């Protein structure tokens, strides 16, 4: 079984630009979650998508957005990049939706904003 | 909002020593999950505890869920160099709905280093 795949592995952008990160969940998983892991700050919940709909979002500004496609893959967009957006962005998928289903994480995309 | 705290933030041990990390939530949890992230890697699911007072073991790892379902612990017996990494607890609040629905809140993690 293929795991969660994320692309690109690394992304370097300059302040003010836009970044697009992609994620393919495990086959059969309909829920996709995005987390930001900045250095020393643990995992911060960004977005949750299920069945093509945004179900919940964390305390991040609107310039963090995304979508889920009919094949359940997902895309995270970050507009007007700021230096503090530099972090590892982790995508995870789960088999069941809602409360507390174990998450399967991808290897992440390391975003560097200069 | 819900907060999940872990202590200690860092733990350095000699190989063979025991290690324990503690997790405390500001709200009652429906379940608690533990993840391990190796240096340079991604978090990997270890285990999920659901029942009040539940204890589960995985070889040298023992996981406990508190009676009030607000705290948990992970204990590693006789650490090995392969145990190195960051251990995270995570949990959704009990009866999660509204703004908490689907949101798994992670603790800050405990970074474990093991000296051979």
């Amino acid at each position: 079984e293929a795991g969660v795949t994320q692309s690109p592995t690394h992304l370097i952008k300059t302040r003010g630009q836009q970044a697009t990160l992609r994620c393919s969940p495990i086959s059969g998983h309909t829920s996709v979650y995005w987390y930001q892991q900045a250095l020393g700050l643990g995992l911060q919940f960004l977005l949750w998508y299920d069945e093509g709909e945004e179900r919940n979002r964390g305390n991040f500004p609107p310039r963090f957005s995304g979508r889920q496609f009919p094949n359940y893959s997902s895309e995270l967009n970050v507009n007007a990049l700021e230096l503090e957006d530099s972090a590892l962005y982790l995508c995870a998928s789960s088999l069941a939706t809602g409360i507390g289903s174990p998450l399967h994480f991808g290897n992440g995309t390391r975003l560097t904003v200069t | 909002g819900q907060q999940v705290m872990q202590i200690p933030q860092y733990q350095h041990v000699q190989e063979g020593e025991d290690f324990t990390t503690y997790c405390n939530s500001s709200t009652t949890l429906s379940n608690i999950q533990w993840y391990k992230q190796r240096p340079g890697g991604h978090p990997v699911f270890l285990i999920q505890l659901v029942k009040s007072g539940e204890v589960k073991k995985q070889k040298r790892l023992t996981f406990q869920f508190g009676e009030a379902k607000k705290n948990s612990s992970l204990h590693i017996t006789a650490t090995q160099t392969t145990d190195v990494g960051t251990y995270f607890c995570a949990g959704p609040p009990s009866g999660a709905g509204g703004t908490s629905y689907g949101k798994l809140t992670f603790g800050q993690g405990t970074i474990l280093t093991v000296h051979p």
Side-chain angles (χ1 to χ4, degrees):
Chain A
E1 174 185 86
V4 176
T5 57
Q6 291 187 246
S7 63
T9 306
H10 295 89
L11 191 57
I12 300 174
K13 294 283 185 178
T14 55
R15 195 168 46 185
Q17 285 188 318
Q18 179 199 41
T20 298
L21 289 62
R22 295 180 176 84
C23 171
S24 292
I26 290 173
S27 178
H29 288 192
T30 61
S31 273
V32 170
Y33 305 78
W34 288 94
Y35 282 82
Q36 182 195 65
Q37 187 174 30
L39 203 59
L41 290 181
L43 282 81
Q44 305 296 317
F45 171 76
L46 264 167
L47 290 159
W48 169 38
Y49 291 95
D50 182 64
E51 297 287 356
E53 299 285 333
E54 181 182 302
R55 302 296 185 181
N56 205 347
R57 64 179 292 127
N59 296 324
F60 281 84
R63 58 191 186 81
F64 286 83
S65 65
R67 53 181 173 166
Q68 187 178 35
F69 299 98
N71 66 353
Y72 304 115
S73 66
S74 178
E75 186 175 275
L76 174 67
N77 295 294
V78 189
N79 294 320
L81 285 164
E82 300 178 2
L83 295 177
E84 51 265 35
D85 296 333
S86 295
L88 180 67
Y89 288 84
L90 291 161
C91 173
S93 70
S94 69
L95 184 59
T97 60
I99 300 173
S101 303
L103 303 183
H104 301 265
F105 285 89
N107 290 331
T109 293
R110 173 75 59 187
L111 174 63
T112 303
V113 183
T114 62
Chain B
Q2 179 198 20
Q3 291 188 343
V4 177
M5 307 296 293
Q6 273 185 263
I7 56 170
Q9 187 175 1
Y10 301 95
Q11 186 74 58
H12 311 284
V13 299
Q14 286 293 131
E15 190 172 19
E17 291 183 338
D18 292 354
F19 158 76
T20 304
T21 174
Y22 299 91
C23 176
N24 292 286
S25 172
S26 59
T27 59
T28 304
L29 301 169
S30 62
N31 66 76
I32 188 83
Q33 298 173 25
W34 285 91
Y35 293 78
K36 176 183 178 182
Q37 185 174 23
R38 295 183 185 275
H42 59 275
V44 174
F45 173 75
L46 292 176
I47 205 162
Q48 181 180 53
L49 305 171
V50 179
K51 299 176 183 175
S52 168
E54 188 171 11
V55 177
K56 284 189 176 180
K57 291 190 176 184
Q58 286 182 350
K59 297 182 180 178
R60 296 178 293 104
L61 278 61
T62 302
F63 303 84
Q64 291 188 309
F65 199 10
E67 294 290 343
K69 299 185 77 173
K70 293 182 72 174
N71 57 70
S72 181
S73 66
L74 158 60
H75 179 82
I76 302 178
T77 304
T79 54
Q80 299 175 359
T81 55
T82 52
D83 295 325
V84 164
T86 303
Y87 292 85
F88 293 98
C89 64
S94 182
T99 59
S100 295
Y101 190 56
K103 184 186 294 186
L104 195 62
T105 301
F106 282 76
Q108 318 95 298
T110 295
I111 300 172
L112 172 66
T113 56
V114 179
H115 301 285

